[in-house]
Amino acid sequence: MFDSLNDQQKKAVEICDKNLLIIAGAGSGKTKTLTYKIAYILKNNLAKPWEILALTFTNKAADEMKDRVANILDTSIDNFYIGTFHALSLRFLRQIGKKYTIYDKHDQEMLVKEIITYLNLDKNKFQPSKVASYISKIKNSSNLEFPTKEFERIYKIYEEKLESNNAVDFDNILIKFIEELKNNDKLRQNFQNQFKFILIDEYQDTNNIQYELIKEFYNGDNRIFAVGDEDQSIYAFRGANINNILSFSNDFLPCEIIKLEKNYRSTKNILNIANTIITHNKTRIGKNLYSDISGVEPVIKEFATNKDEAYFVSNQIKNILMQNDNSSVAVLYRNNNLSRIFEEYFMQFGIAYKKIGAHKFFDKKEIKDILSFIKIAYNEKDDVSFIRSIGNFGGIGLKTIDDIKKIAIDLNTNLFIAASTLTQKKYAKVARFIEFVKILQKKLEFGNISECLKFVFDEVFSDKNFYRQDIRQSNIDELIEFAKNMDIESFMENASLYDYSQSIDGENNLSLPNVSLMTIHAAKGLEFDHVFIVGLNEGILPSLYQDSVIEEERRIMYVGITRAKKTLYLSYYLSDFHNSFIPSRFLKEIAVNKTQLKRYRIGETINHKDFGKGIILNVKEKPLELKVNFFKYGLKILTENDIF
DNA sequence: ACACTAAACTTTTTT
DNA sequence: AGTTTAGTGT
């Protein structure tokens, strides 16, 4: 059964007495190697299934690994510990009796917003979404440095609130678990002894907290097998630390590094482009991906507008599907707002497609609204869910909620308790709300969540037009169906951690369309016969957003390109009717067939980070020199170095 | 005091 | 697409 592995893969599978860092280039059979390694360990009786811990980055990757292990072993996989860092940590926390409400990004922002209003801070200066992501960044970095005093206060109150709400955000799931391990030697040793082999997928995307967790599991006797590719590290914005992979061989001794460099996915031509681009990066271990597959030359296309681009892509897809119905096709972009125009044209062209990511099932308003009642019944201290549910109950407005908040501060308690003290006649509606939640709590104890959801819908939402629209109604039905036969704990976990929309996967389902629309981030780990990477403009890819780092943007480009098996189309447009654009610098780095790609054209508008918008009056290539008339700052000469 | 509506604005990427 | 805001209506 191990005959189908190449020499490097075989080495990676068979070496079990050392820690291993497997540098797995795109399409080099990473998942295959990991799953065969698990099979090898079991066949040779090196460990029992429950002594293997496999940590993945996404639920999709966990599901795929489960499937493939089950396939090659031909047994049930119930005994394996395969899952995301977050899902497994939560599960272990539950095993020791720790239960929390999980705050997703949205809940987090609501909490931050409450704190900002409470502190009377300027809402424009402190945007909840920015503050929330900054909080996560701080938690993920080792040194706690706050930009301002106000920020430090927000952060402190935020952490206190999580504690008093009996809630955890995504980061805290891991932090809480690490705390438990640190404070309880017996518990830690149990885990260390149990997990003889720890496999970590996508190691390049682990952050400091995840790294710390791995350290807690490691006792020097068990073995860590980390698989990763520094060139595919694209989650720095979420705290991923590329140094984890770069310094693996110092952290876990004895250690061996194995590189998987043979690519089984893409044609030579496609790989050439990927290799050419990525060699511009300095932060890398370095590898040389190669392929035996020959194929056609990738296509680079310029369009006047994004509409022209969408038209061309749609037309091309139509042709591809006419030639071979079974081909898989993907249109990939840097950010989700680029998808809309493709959806429009796909409709016009009659192309069936699926859009991945973007709007998650559990982020939908109707779902969150109903869920907030279950959450407040599950955990009275959950102030975020309190505010959402009471606001939807009907007959209770902002003024009343404000009164409750004030009482909660006075009594130093949560909103639910504060609301329970209101017995005056004018607060009769509040009393009814409290009563309703208590009934719900009784029903929840009974265990049938589906029925509880239906109860909430019937009592609170069924007479409101918004929730009676067909799409929302069917989403609600789906939620009720989803909850069937689930216990409250796993329901809560699934609702918070699982991206339900991504799990409706087309691979085994022939009735779903073969054309996918998604961000490059969402496409990571996937492959398609034909790939279109669109919107390859400066300012889109690379994004040139505030903290965007050019090497990471280049890796995103690299990940996109290496999704393609047979054909690859790279395209950009010059205008989207609001702004004008120039082609991505990454296209210039390729320079296929001496393709004439000018980054700058006379007469174009550019957007400079310091000087704002301006019109290009003159362009000199080699060395690059731009004469630009900026709207605010007037005439400037820019050289290569001060352009970005 | 609250419900409802229309218009404006928000967003890189996500466990 | 969802949330916020301002304005109107009950």
Side-chain angles (χ1 to χ4, degrees):
Chain A
M1 88 181 272
F2 299 100
D3 292 345
S4 64
L5 300 167
N6 69 29
D7 287 351
Q8 289 170 313
Q9 290 171 338
K10 207 172 266 178
K11 235 177 122 184
V13 165
E14 287 174 0
I15 295 176
C16 289
D17 57 345
K18 286 182 232 172
N19 299 301
L20 278 188
L21 174 62
I22 302 160
I23 302 289
S28 64
K30 176 193 73 170
T31 311
K32 182 179 179 180
T33 305
L34 266 180
T35 48
Y36 274 72
K37 187 159 189 92
I38 294 175
Y40 182 88
I41 291 169
L42 295 172
K43 286 248 150 133
N44 288 283
N45 268 322
L46 300 174
K48 299 288 180 204
W50 58 88
E51 293 171 329
I52 300 171
L53 176 68
L55 296 163
T56 63
F57 195 63
T58 62
N59 291 297
K60 207 163 62 181
D63 287 346
E64 195 190 340
M65 207 187 295
K66 275 183 208 162
D67 274 0
R68 286 173 70 164
V69 171
N71 252 328
I72 56 173
L73 290 178
D74 206 28
T75 53
S76 149
I77 43 101
D78 292 346
N79 291 326
F80 285 93
Y81 289 90
I82 297 179
T84 62
F85 278 88
H86 294 86
L88 284 172
S89 296
L90 197 72
R91 190 167 146 194
F92 293 141
L93 278 169
R94 266 209 318 258
Q95 276 173 18
I96 56 172
K98 307 276 171 180
K99 293 175 186 176
Y100 304 97
T101 291
I102 300 164
Y103 281 177
D104 64 14
K105 196 185 171 225
H106 193 270
D107 304 322
Q108 238 185 89
E109 284 172 16
M110 297 305 277
L111 180 55
V112 168
K113 213 170 98 188
E114 287 295 321
I115 296 167
I116 288 167
T117 14
Y118 167 72
L119 290 176
N120 242 322
L121 293 169
D122 183 359
K123 276 180 198 152
N124 297 316
K125 221 172 142 192
F126 295 90
Q127 281 175 34
S129 61
K130 298 235 167 88
V131 175
S133 67
Y134 202 92
I135 286 174
S136 175
K137 223 176 220 171
I138 285 210
K139 287 194 197 185
N140 277 296
S141 70
S142 27
N143 58 330
L144 287 174
E145 259 186 40
F146 297 99
T148 60
K149 266 258 170 321
E150 288 98 332
F151 197 95
E152 190 171 357
R153 277 200 79 192
I154 296 174
Y155 180 84
K156 286 225 167 95
I157 297 175
Y158 173 82
E159 287 293 300
E160 282 166 20
K161 276 274 168 199
L162 280 185
E163 202 68 42
S164 65
N165 288 7
N166 197 27
V168 285
D169 60 20
F170 284 133
D171 298 317
N172 275 24
I173 295 173
L174 305 191
I175 291 171
K176 285 275 173 197
F177 184 47
I178 291 170
E179 268 173 23
E180 294 294 333
L181 293 171
K182 279 212 158 93
N183 295 333
N184 188 338
D185 292 343
K186 189 114 200 267
L187 183 74
R188 185 180 63 248
Q189 284 157 13
N190 277 345
F191 276 119
Q192 288 174 344
N193 293 334
Q194 181 184 345
F195 295 128
K196 297 204 167 85
F197 298 104
I198 299 166
L199 293 87
I200 308 155
D201 193 17
E202 307 277 12
Y203 193 69
Q204 76 282 352
D205 285 326
T206 51
N207 61 29
N208 291 346
I209 299 173
Q210 289 160 334
Y211 174 77
E212 218 183 308
L213 180 60
I214 296 162
K215 280 278 204 184
E216 289 299 320
F217 277 139
Y218 182 62
N219 66 357
D221 290 329
N222 49 11
R223 291 293 166 243
I224 311 264
F225 304 131
V227 184
D229 177 2
E230 80 279 9
D231 293 332
Q232 294 186 68
S233 169
I234 56 173
Y235 284 93
F237 71 91
R238 209 174 69 193
N241 186 349
I242 197 167
N243 287 317
N244 289 350
I245 193 168
L246 299 176
S247 62
F248 182 92
S249 53
N250 299 322
D251 296 328
F252 302 101
L253 293 170
C255 161
E256 185 160 341
I257 298 178
I258 295 170
K259 290 183 186 178
L260 307 183
E261 295 178 297
K262 173 146 191 192
N263 174 297
Y264 295 93
R265 177 188 295 154
S266 313
T267 66
K268 289 178 213 172
N269 294 326
I270 291 170
L271 228 46
N272 271 343
I273 286 190
N275 283 336
T276 308
I277 289 182
I278 205 66
T279 41
H280 284 82
N281 272 9
K282 294 192 177 78
T283 323
R284 55 194 300 251
I285 296 170
K287 71 174 100 44
N288 196 18
L289 262 193
Y290 63 96
S291 156
D292 293 339
I293 311 164
S294 36
V296 293
E297 198 70 55
V299 178
I300 298 179
K301 277 266 182 198
E302 175 187 286
F303 298 99
T305 68
N306 53 341
K307 285 186 179 173
D308 298 327
E309 184 185 54
Y311 180 88
F312 171 82
V313 170
S314 307
N315 217 348
Q316 211 66 18
I317 291 176
K318 197 103 209 187
N319 291 338
I320 290 168
L321 293 179
M322 277 205 314
Q323 278 166 33
N324 182 359
D325 227 19
N326 291 318
S327 311
S328 58
V329 183
V331 176
L332 308 180
Y333 34 79
R334 176 67 174 87
N335 60 53
N336 275 310
N337 358 337
L338 276 104
S339 73
R340 242 190 72 188
I341 192 144
F342 289 94
E343 294 192 75
E344 270 173 39
Y345 276 85
F346 284 179
M347 299 270 253
Q348 277 180 36
F349 276 75
I351 298 169
Y353 67 94
K354 56 185 166 185
K355 192 167 131 190
I356 311 284
H359 298 291
K360 292 178 194 158
F361 183 75
F362 283 99
D363 282 347
K364 293 178 194 293
K365 177 176 161 55
E366 62 273 25
I367 301 298
K368 275 203 162 291
D369 284 341
I370 292 181
L371 225 52
S372 67
F373 279 88
I374 304 292
K375 286 172 94 173
I376 188 65
Y378 173 72
N379 171 16
E380 293 183 359
K381 296 178 177 171
D382 180 352
D383 285 355
V384 172
S385 297
F386 178 91
I387 292 170
R388 190 172 190 124
S389 53
I390 201 171
N392 277 317
F393 190 65
I396 301 162
L398 291 174
K399 176 75 179 62
T400 308
I401 296 175
D402 232 40
D403 293 346
I404 298 171
K405 283 182 194 167
K406 284 197 183 97
I407 293 164
I409 293 167
D410 284 347
L411 299 178
N412 191 26
T413 185
N414 56 65
L415 297 177
F416 190 85
I417 298 285
S420 308
T421 65
L422 295 175
T423 49
Q424 296 120 287
K425 209 169 189 179
K426 67 170 182 168
Y427 293 123
K429 285 259 170 63
V430 176
R432 272 186 56 197
F433 171 76
I434 299 287
E435 194 52 39
F436 181 77
V437 173
K438 284 187 172 157
I439 293 167
L440 200 53
Q441 282 173 334
K442 286 222 176 71
K443 280 185 179 287
L444 268 183
E445 269 173 48
F446 212 63
N448 192 329
I449 300 161
S450 262
E451 240 167 59
C452 294
L453 291 165
K454 207 170 164 355
F455 175 69
V456 172
F457 175 72
D458 289 342
E459 296 292 315
V460 184
F461 296 99
S462 60
D463 59 341
K464 292 186 177 148
N465 285 329
F466 177 86
Y467 301 90
R468 292 177 68 144
Q469 292 170 40
D470 282 354
I471 311 165
R472 309 194 198 275
Q473 189 77 58
S474 84
N475 284 334
I476 293 164
D477 288 345
E478 206 175 329
L479 177 72
I480 292 168
E481 187 60 34
F482 174 82
K484 272 193 180 141
N485 303 321
M486 244 188 231
D487 66 88
I488 181 75
E489 304 297 340
S490 55
F491 175 74
M492 286 299 185
E493 179 190 328
N494 276 295
S496 325
L497 292 182
Y498 207 86
D499 184 355
Y500 194 41
S501 65
Q502 288 202 10
S503 74
I504 314 165
D505 208 287
E507 253 172 300
N508 303 316
N509 190 340
L510 293 173
S511 66
L512 282 173
N514 273 337
V515 180
S516 306
L517 273 173
M518 67 184 96
T519 63
I520 298 175
H521 282 82
K524 195 161 149 213
L526 306 178
E527 58 178 34
F528 306 91
D529 295 323
H530 311 279
V531 168
F532 296 82
I533 306 181
V534 298
L536 286 170
N537 310 337
E538 282 290 311
I540 295 180
L541 210 184
S543 83
L544 305 179
Y545 207 72
Q546 276 170 0
D547 356 315
S548 94
V549 177
I550 204 67
E551 292 213 348
E552 172 131 332
E553 296 294 315
R554 192 176 280 113
R555 288 192 290 266
I556 295 170
M557 178 82 177
Y558 177 81
V559 168
I561 292 170
T562 52
R563 299 310 95 200
K565 291 164 84 172
K566 295 177 185 157
T567 66
L568 174 67
Y569 293 83
L570 305 172
S571 57
Y572 62 94
Y573 48 86
L574 301 172
S575 157
D576 67 358
F577 300 97
H578 297 289
N579 295 301
S580 48
F581 292 96
I582 55 171
S584 165
R585 70 190 72 184
F586 301 141
L587 292 174
K588 206 182 179 193
E589 290 171 2
I590 305 168
V592 187
N593 299 334
K594 299 274 171 268
T595 308
Q596 295 285 316
L597 281 172
K598 285 190 180 142
R599 274 161 65 187
Y600 306 100
R601 283 154 215 271
I602 294 169
E604 248 167 27
T605 313
I606 62 165
N607 202 351
H608 190 272
K609 70 168 166 29
D610 295 328
F611 305 132
K613 284 190 176 163
I615 293 177
I616 299 175
L617 299 182
N618 201 12
V619 181
K620 272 189 215 159
E621 303 270 347
K622 283 182 195 169
L624 187 69
E625 206 180 277
L626 294 186
K627 192 175 179 185
V628 184
N629 191 5
F630 287 102
F631 299 147
K632 274 192 190 154
Y633 296 86
L635 220 53
K636 300 253 180 214
I637 305 274
L638 303 174
T639 60
E640 179 83 47
N641 287 333
D642 44 35
I643 287 174
F644 294 104

